[in-house]
Amino acid sequence: MANHKEETLALREQFDTVEQQKDASTLGMWIFLITEIMFFGGMFLAYTIYRSSYPGIFAITSSSLNVYIGAANTVVLLCSSFTMVMAVRSAQLGRQKAIIFNLILTLILGFIFLGVKAYEWNEKFVEHHVPGPGFHFVGIAQQGPAQLFFSLYFAMTGLHALHMVVGVGILTWLIIKTRQGTFTAEYMTPVDVAGLYWHFVDIIWIFLFPLLYLIDRHLK
Amino acid sequence: MGKLPLFPEQASTFAPDVDHLLYFLLAVAVFFTVLIFGAIFYFAIRYRRRSEQELPRLVHTGIALEIVWSVIPFGLTMIMFTWGAAIFFRESRPPDDAIPIYVVGKQWMWKLQHMEGQREINELHVPMGRAIRLTMTSEDVIHSFFVPAFRTKQDVVPGRYSTTWWKPTKPGKYHLFCAEYCGTKHSGMIGWIYVMDPQDYQKWLSAGVQSGSMADNGQKLFQDLACSNCHKPDGSGRCPTLVGLFGKNVQLSDGRTVKADEAYIRESILQPTAKVVAGFQPVMPTFQGLVTEEGVLSLIEYVKSLGPQPAAGANTGVAPVPPSKNASEKR
Amino acid sequence: MITAAVQEREHYLNASYGIKSWLLTKDHKRIGLLYLATITLFFFLGGAFATLIRVELLTPQGDLVSSETYNKLFTMHGVAMVFFFLLPSIPATLGNFFLPMMIGARDLAFPRINLLSWYLLVIGGLFSLFAMLAGGVDTGWTFYTPYSTTYSNTWVIATALGIFIAGFSSILTGLNFIVTIHRMRAPGMTWFRMPLFVWSNYATSLIQVLGTPVLAVTIVLVFCERVFHIGIFDPALGGDPVLFQHLFWFYSHPAVYIMVLPGMGVISEVVSVYSRKPVFGYGFVAFSSVAIAVLGFLVWGHHLFVSTQSVYAGMVFSFLSYFVAIPSAIKVFNWTATLYKGSISFDTPMLYAFGFIGLFTIGGLTGLFVASLGIDVHVTDTYFVIAHFHYIMVGGTIMAYLAGLHYWWPKMTGRMYPEGWAKLSALVIFLGFNLTFFPQFILGYLGMPRRYHVYPPEFQVLHVLSTAGASVLAVGYLMPMIYFIWSVRYGKVATANPWGATGLEWKTPSPPPLHNFDEAPVVTHEAYDYSTVMGEVIEVG
């Protein structure tokens, strides 16, 4: 009976086989990502509703976002997803150095994304586009819906950035654990599910970028 | 006093309709309650355990039974749905000859205004036998206009208009409650609806303070706020004429067509760039902060008075009160 | 007295001692007990608020407390009861304890996440408790905007934060249960051999995982609006106060099914055991749980019939609301049919089950009233709605919870509760409950609005009846508190299977060993096959 066997990382005492634990962990991460879709979904819904209520104003405010920077950031994240895939593949092959190399690349790209985001936000702050008492968007009579656009912009990109920061923390922890020799070809589940998480954060951005930066540019 | 009431009075045309639906629902509910309670009681006694060695034989279910006791309740619920939906639909369609009343709710009072100009606080006098249509908004939080004797309720929301209507059938005095929690004195935001015989109502109306009809006040406001500089009656200004506007369909610059109802007028005053009439420029400034909700309602009555008139405007049987010189109010 | 037999054998309660062994446990059984203690505290806190409310309502005037205080009382009653008692109750206590055992597993899939879930509930609870003690919150548990975002000057943020954190407790529990049920069933335990309590918790977990994040993001938006004064729900800035209601109820309607589905699972178990028969229509009852979970996501607009939601939307939501009633009706009919030709015993869990079926039937039938647009326009936001949901939450869920506690008490503690006192409490609770809440249906139709501190004098008689009932109900709830605690020390020692039940949890000693089973179970027969647990039998029926 597996009751009193020594517990290992790959086979914790509640599981009967390594396969079972791997399956359970992966299923768990997928379910967690589904909850994240519902979480972001609420904000996407609010954005969609207000955009359809104020199409003209949202088009103008959206155009004030720097689409080149946004596009660059998108490329950065896509590349980071690629390096993450490489990290997972290296883990499957048991190649420790390659895992660390690719995780570090992913981490750097993640930091670049966050840095660029901070620069964008600072730009918004300087232009008085941050919602609050100092808000003013030049050229629009109704400031209310304009402020609404930026509220949703900051809420959505902020929530996304928060998830990126958590992702960065997870990557750091993975790098440390890899250096300690924790992962083998047989046991690399944490790298695997962290990859899933990272890809998810990337996909959220793939939706955010067009919704916030690209739509209705032609209306301006 | 000694009598325990079970139902509120029936004082509107909706009340008996709603009560009849209630009786049907009660009958169904009592039937199934008695059925289930009875079955449990009967089975529990009839099949009580008589020895610890008893092992009941398996009783197989049949899909037929499961279908029967799904389909029959479903059929009953569809009757309930249709009946309730029909009442709800009628409640959403005020007749064209309904008398308009304007309501502004705020923490913690009801301000009501008749189009002839009478203002009431926490009270509303109405004639029996006429449809009454309330256009309502809030100055602060969400409230709800609830008259149990009429069986109607409608939330009163800031930033938009909501409407409700009823036709009182019995003279008397009926509770008005705020039915959406709105803060400290939510339970104090109550009042009375006074339903009067039509002749008594006319007397009451004429005996009111002479402060000008809503339309007159609206006209004054229209001039004070310089609306007349652009909105000229002959359409020669920079903006569309408002004569004959109310109730018509309007073509907008983005291709949409909307009806010029109360909500449209309000939005045009407070958020003018939201809907721009085709062929015109978005030059109208916003009057948010420069006019109160009641001011907006007066302006609406004024625009209505420029025709085409809804039938209510002509049929109250009361001559409009002439505007008096010293009663100009911006509110 | 503790007998020698219990002293010798090691089980989950005596395997280790000390605070650390409880606060850092990974054992789902201990975590279940940690939850039991936490939610019981919140139950009595919510109950204390309810007591003050009912005493104030004895008279039409506001003479016991001020309006500000009264508004805080009903808000905090709702917050404590919904978020910190009802939502966790059955899944986090009985579900945590018995779900792994019922499917033959040694623990849940993620034991440390399970412990984290408990900590999240406690931390969230502390935030909300802080808000209550520091001055209270007065928005109603539904915290509608713009009152909650712009006008209330009470501890809205702290309370909302507490609920936000507790929400993650719920999400992680749901996630844990889903993975456990999918991946950790013992050999031979197919989906359709699982006890119906497991099916109910599975359906509940689906709702927890899909619905709660929407509440979380709604709270984030309310937080942003209130702290940064931006206009998401504020009409003065172009926001929409009714959007809040849509977002709030998108979670909070499915939430009521989180509260009732596990209770239904308990009733399925109890009705079967004390009739000594499999649940009639097992497959239909199993599927109805999932149907309720799915359909429950489609009906939130029935809370918005008079909110300025469009007439068309109202009709769609009313129509769908009738659909969701049908699976519940199917369950009630199947439970009743289970009694037919059974061998019925009247132990306390069964009395509570009878109470549940009866009161849930009444509560559910009054749901048909409020689903009807014409009626709802009149009764929404009145005491009719209060009576409707208390019939389901209290007459339903709490009765089911008590049924489950009594049923599984011997397994959890190794002791029997005192049957005589338990039966008496059940009767007191049943009578007290009906006296409290039935008059409220009448009050509601008469027009008595919700959340009213003062009211017109003609409503007083019904309020007095209701308060009288509440005092009886309070006594009824105190009794199990006392005798359950008494039984842990002085109750009769329990055998492994005192009720002759069939589940895997009864094949292990009472209390269970640390890893649940001394030998890994293999399942070879259908659920609820009583021939396997009885010696010599006399066939009846």
Side-chain angles (χ1 to χ4, degrees):
Chain A
M1 174 68 189
N3 265 344
H4 311 292
K5 211 170 67 186
E6 256 313 304
E7 176 174 75
T8 66
L9 280 179
L11 183 56
R12 294 203 181 267
E13 61 180 354
Q14 68 267 22
F15 292 108
D16 290 326
T17 68
V18 167
E19 267 298 302
Q20 188 190 37
Q21 174 168 328
K22 200 162 196 283
D23 275 344
S25 304
T26 314
L27 179 60
M29 178 49 84
W30 277 107
I31 294 176
F32 175 69
L33 294 180
I34 292 175
T35 72
E36 292 275 51
I37 292 176
M38 297 306 291
F39 190 52
F40 276 95
M43 284 219 202
F44 276 87
L45 180 77
Y47 176 81
T48 309
I49 288 175
Y50 284 125
R51 190 189 140 231
S52 68
S53 300
Y54 303 108
I57 296 181
F58 269 47
I60 297 175
T61 47
S62 160
S63 306
S64 78
L65 298 175
N66 191 327
V67 69
Y68 300 107
I69 292 191
N73 247 357
T74 308
V75 172
V76 165
L77 264 193
L78 283 171
C79 291
S80 78
S81 260
F82 173 69
T83 53
M84 188 72 211
V85 166
M86 294 308 290
V88 172
R89 183 65 185 140
S90 309
Q92 283 170 346
L93 297 173
R95 303 226 213 102
Q96 304 298 315
K97 282 215 174 58
I99 301 175
I100 294 180
F101 175 69
N102 283 298
L103 284 177
I104 289 181
L105 274 185
T106 314
L107 194 60
I108 290 174
L109 289 167
F111 273 120
I112 292 177
F113 179 91
L114 287 170
V116 170
K117 199 103 228 71
Y119 168 77
E120 271 192 288
W121 280 9
N122 183 58
E123 245 193 6
K124 291 289 124 204
F125 178 72
V126 161
E127 288 172 337
H128 295 290
H129 289 168
V130 175
F135 178 88
H136 184 74
F137 193 92
V138 174
I140 292 187
Q142 280 176 275
Q143 292 292 306
Q147 192 173 206
L148 198 54
F149 172 85
F150 283 103
S151 307
L152 288 165
Y153 169 80
F154 280 105
M156 288 159 84
T157 56
L159 196 62
H160 177 258
L162 191 64
H163 282 75
M164 288 278 312
V165 169
V166 169
V168 158
I170 292 175
L171 287 173
T172 311
W173 177 80
L174 279 180
I175 294 171
I176 295 173
K177 283 289 169 189
T178 313
R179 294 199 58 183
Q180 290 172 355
T182 314
F183 305 121
T184 64
E186 284 74 40
Y187 174 68
M188 38 72 71
T189 313
V191 184
D192 209 1
V193 299
L196 282 176
Y197 176 78
W198 191 262
H199 295 316
F200 173 77
V201 177
D202 185 12
I203 290 180
I204 290 288
W205 177 257
I206 303 296
F207 278 86
L208 275 182
F209 175 60
L211 270 180
L212 290 172
Y213 290 71
L214 294 183
I215 52 176
D216 286 341
R217 279 207 156 236
H218 63 282
L219 278 187
K220 185 187 172 184
Chain B
M1 270 176 310
K3 193 174 65 158
L4 190 64
L6 288 178
F7 286 90
E9 283 185 81
Q10 290 180 343
S12 81
T13 51
F14 291 132
D17 293 345
V18 173
D19 287 355
H20 289 145
L21 175 54
L22 180 84
Y23 299 145
F24 172 67
L25 285 164
L26 271 176
V28 173
V30 166
F31 172 76
F32 280 101
T33 305
V34 167
L35 182 73
I36 298 295
F37 273 75
I40 293 178
F41 198 68
Y42 174 69
F43 290 157
I45 295 182
R46 167 99 163 73
Y47 300 109
R48 66 189 181 283
R49 188 172 300 178
R50 289 166 176 84
S51 128
E52 279 309 307
Q53 268 99 27
E54 274 179 15
L55 177 66
R57 261 188 277 272
L58 194 54
V59 179
H60 287 286
T61 183
I63 194 162
L65 180 60
E66 300 281 350
I67 290 181
V68 163
W69 68 33
S70 305
V71 165
I72 292 180
F74 182 68
L76 286 167
T77 61
M78 287 300 100
I79 298 175
M80 295 171 189
F81 162 70
T82 314
W83 193 337
I87 297 178
F88 188 67
F89 187 76
R90 285 201 297 278
E91 286 172 345
S92 69
R93 292 273 181 287
D96 291 330
D97 65 346
I99 299 176
I101 300 282
Y102 297 94
V103 181
V104 175
K106 75 185 270 282
Q107 284 172 326
W108 289 280
M109 60 196 278
W110 296 104
K111 297 191 278 191
L112 302 101
Q113 197 165 25
H114 298 251
M115 48 175 283
E116 294 84 359
Q118 270 74 2
R119 295 170 182 286
E120 306 196 63
I121 301 241
N122 294 333
E123 290 182 348
L124 177 63
H125 290 76
V126 289
M128 188 184 92
R130 289 294 310 277
I132 315 287
R133 173 179 185 248
L134 276 61
T135 302
M136 313 185 284
T137 186
S138 164
E139 279 182 18
D140 40 39
V141 298
I142 302 180
H143 302 276
S144 195
F145 197 91
F146 175 37
V147 185
F150 297 162
R151 311 289 187 279
T152 58
K153 184 185 289 107
Q154 178 66 251
D155 278 6
V156 177
V157 181
R160 72 183 65 176
Y161 287 146
S162 56
T163 57
T164 183
W165 79 275
W166 22 262
K167 186 190 261 195
T169 51
K170 201 166 122 186
K173 166 173 135 163
Y174 307 106
H175 279 299
L176 161 64
F177 294 129
C178 173
E180 185 59 59
Y181 174 67
C182 54
T184 311
K185 284 197 178 6
H186 167 58
S187 45
M189 193 164 160
I190 65 178
W192 296 100
I193 313 286
Y194 292 95
V195 177
M196 314 171 86
D197 284 318
Q199 303 97 303
D200 294 335
Y201 177 70
Q202 305 303 8
K203 278 202 221 98
W204 177 86
L205 209 54
S206 329
V209 174
Q210 313 281 359
S211 63
S213 71
M214 279 180 78
D216 293 330
N217 289 330
Q219 185 176 33
K220 242 184 252 86
L221 205 50
F222 193 79
Q223 278 146 7
D224 290 342
L225 292 170
C227 316
S228 41
N229 289 358
C230 297
H231 288 286
K232 300 203 185 296
D234 55 3
S236 58
R238 275 175 292 166
C239 312
T241 176
L242 302 178
V243 174
L245 168 69
F246 193 82
K248 257 182 32 197
N249 282 333
V250 178
Q251 179 94 14
L252 299 177
S253 59
D254 60 9
R256 287 183 291 169
T257 307
V258 293
K259 181 149 175 254
D261 58 9
E262 286 92 344
Y264 172 78
I265 310 267
R266 181 176 180 280
E267 190 186 39
S268 303
I269 297 171
L270 299 178
Q271 289 165 27
T273 53
K275 293 186 176 69
V276 180
V277 181
F280 290 90
Q281 296 303 310
V283 296
M284 179 171 168
T286 173
F287 287 83
Q288 182 104 39
L290 297 171
V291 62
T292 63
E293 293 289 354
E294 284 146 293
V296 172
L297 291 169
S298 309
L299 286 164
I300 289 174
E301 265 295 307
Y302 170 62
V303 172
K304 276 191 191 176
S305 73
L306 296 177
Q309 305 268 7
N315 284 357
T316 54
V318 178
V321 177
S324 62
K325 288 183 219 136
N326 57 345
S328 65
E329 289 178 295
K330 280 203 168 57
R331 290 186 176 275
Chain C
M1 301 304 291
I2 300 176
T3 65
V6 175
Q7 229 170 8
E8 278 165 12
R9 184 174 61 83
E10 187 195 74
H11 51 73
Y12 81 103
L13 286 169
N14 61 20
S16 52
Y17 289 105
I19 278 257
K20 254 181 73 173
S21 76
W22 281 88
L23 293 182
L24 294 176
T25 182
K26 292 194 297 183
D27 182 357
H28 66 100
K29 300 182 287 299
R30 284 198 175 196
I31 294 175
L33 293 184
L34 288 173
Y35 268 108
L36 179 62
T38 313
I39 65 167
T40 306
L41 281 170
F42 276 102
F43 175 70
F44 281 102
L45 182 65
F49 294 137
T51 307
L52 288 167
I53 293 172
R54 287 283 7 133
V55 173
E56 167 65 83
L57 292 174
L58 275 172
T59 61
Q61 306 86 3
D63 36 20
L64 185 72
V65 297
S66 67
S67 288
E68 285 89 353
T69 305
Y70 183 81
N71 295 339
K72 292 174 185 172
L73 287 175
F74 69 69
T75 302
M76 300 189 302
H77 167 73
V79 168
M81 287 304 202
V82 170
F83 293 110
F84 299 100
F85 172 63
L86 282 168
L87 279 168
S89 62
I90 296 175
T93 57
L94 302 172
N96 257 328
F97 203 110
F98 290 104
L99 196 128
M101 297 182 75
M102 285 173 138
I103 59 174
R106 283 190 291 290
D107 205 312
L108 289 176
F110 308 116
R112 286 174 301 176
I113 291 185
N114 199 15
L115 182 65
L116 175 65
S117 288
W118 178 71
Y119 275 107
L120 289 172
L121 184 73
V122 169
I123 294 171
L126 285 172
F127 268 95
S128 300
L129 196 57
F130 162 76
M132 292 176 190
L133 295 172
V137 59
D138 73 346
T139 57
W141 81 274
T142 50
F143 44 104
Y144 275 17
T145 58
Y147 183 74
S148 63
T149 47
T150 312
Y151 290 83
S152 171
N153 47 26
T154 58
W155 292 91
V156 179
I157 301 283
T159 309
L161 216 47
I163 295 171
F164 181 82
I165 295 170
F168 284 100
S169 168
S170 187
I171 291 173
L172 292 176
T173 298
L175 191 157
N176 228 334
F177 282 12
I178 291 176
V179 177
T180 306
I181 294 171
H182 272 277
R183 291 279 179 263
M184 294 174 75
R185 283 169 285 122
M189 174 63 77
T190 61
W191 281 85
F192 290 98
R193 283 179 175 173
M194 289 196 316
L196 287 165
F197 182 66
V198 180
W199 273 101
S200 295
N201 276 285
Y202 182 72
T204 305
S205 302
L206 291 174
I207 306 176
Q208 284 172 302
V209 149
L210 293 173
T212 319
V214 177
L215 179 74
V217 84
T218 308
I219 293 178
V220 166
L221 291 174
V222 167
F223 178 95
C224 290
E225 175 117 332
R226 195 168 162 86
V227 169
F228 303 119
H229 303 295
I230 56 186
I232 302 181
F233 304 121
D234 186 345
L237 293 169
D240 184 351
V242 179
L243 178 64
F244 170 82
Q245 294 180 38
H246 281 285
L247 286 170
F248 177 82
W249 287 110
F250 185 81
Y251 163 71
S252 299
H253 186 82
V256 314
Y257 297 112
I258 298 177
M259 293 188 259
V260 87
L261 272 170
M264 292 171 153
V266 171
I267 299 305
S268 290
E269 298 300 315
V270 167
V271 163
S272 172
V273 170
Y274 298 100
S275 315
R276 224 163 247 171
K277 264 181 80 213
V279 175
F280 194 85
Y282 170 99
F284 285 90
V285 177
F287 277 124
S288 67
S289 296
V290 179
I292 290 173
V294 170
L295 290 170
F297 274 101
L298 304 179
V299 300
W300 78 91
H302 65 223
H303 299 271
L304 283 95
F305 284 155
V306 298
S307 69
T308 71
Q309 178 178 259
S310 78
V311 172
Y312 173 65
M315 298 220 183
V316 169
F317 282 118
S318 171
F319 182 72
L320 289 171
S321 301
Y322 282 109
F323 266 87
V324 78
I326 302 302
S328 296
I330 291 177
K331 284 187 195 254
V332 169
F333 293 136
N334 277 296
W335 288 323
T336 309
T338 305
L339 302 173
Y340 176 67
K341 294 196 170 169
S343 166
I344 314 241
S345 88
F346 298 102
D347 299 282
T348 302
M350 190 59 150
L351 294 181
Y352 277 116
F354 288 155
F356 176 97
I357 299 173
L359 298 178
F360 174 76
T361 297
I362 295 178
L365 286 168
T366 55
L368 301 177
F369 288 59
V370 288
S372 169
L373 289 156
I375 296 278
D376 190 67
V377 167
H378 178 55
V379 302
T380 191
D381 266 304
T382 67
Y383 264 74
F384 192 93
V385 178
I386 296 184
H388 160 71
F389 66 70
H390 281 91
Y391 259 78
I392 308 208
M393 294 297 126
V394 182
T397 300
I398 298 189
M399 284 224 164
Y401 179 59
L402 287 169
L405 274 182
H406 285 81
Y407 174 54
W408 277 302
W409 194 255
K411 180 58 56 182
M412 292 194 285
T413 61
R415 301 283 177 155
M416 299 300 288
Y417 58 84
E419 184 65 42
W421 282 105
K423 283 197 166 79
L424 179 63
S425 313
L427 186 64
V428 170
I429 289 175
F430 183 83
L431 292 172
F433 170 83
N434 280 296
L435 185 57
T436 309
F437 290 105
F438 195 82
Q440 293 186 7
F441 282 123
I442 304 174
L443 267 175
Y445 203 80
L446 279 170
M448 166 88 198
R450 286 176 76 163
R451 298 169 165 172
Y452 261 38
H453 178 215
V454 301
Y455 57 81
E458 62 258 35
F459 294 136
Q460 184 173 19
V461 173
L462 289 164
H463 271 297
V464 169
L465 287 174
S466 185
T467 302
S471 36
V472 173
L473 192 57
V475 168
Y477 285 135
L478 282 170
M479 289 162 72
M481 261 300 281
I482 298 171
Y483 66 64
F484 272 142
I485 297 178
W486 173 92
S487 75
V488 173
R489 185 106 205 278
Y490 300 109
K492 201 175 84 173
V493 171
T495 59
N497 191 358
W499 311 117
T502 58
L504 288 176
E505 75 271 26
W506 300 103
K507 299 207 178 337
T508 190
S510 305
L514 196 50
H515 297 287
N516 296 343
F517 301 99
D518 289 323
E519 274 176 36
V522 174
V523 179
T524 52
H525 49 81
E526 301 306 305
Y528 312 115
D529 188 345
Y530 289 92
S531 64
T532 62
V533 294
M534 298 182 65
E536 249 198 67
V537 300
I538 305 168
E539 282 207 348
V540 292

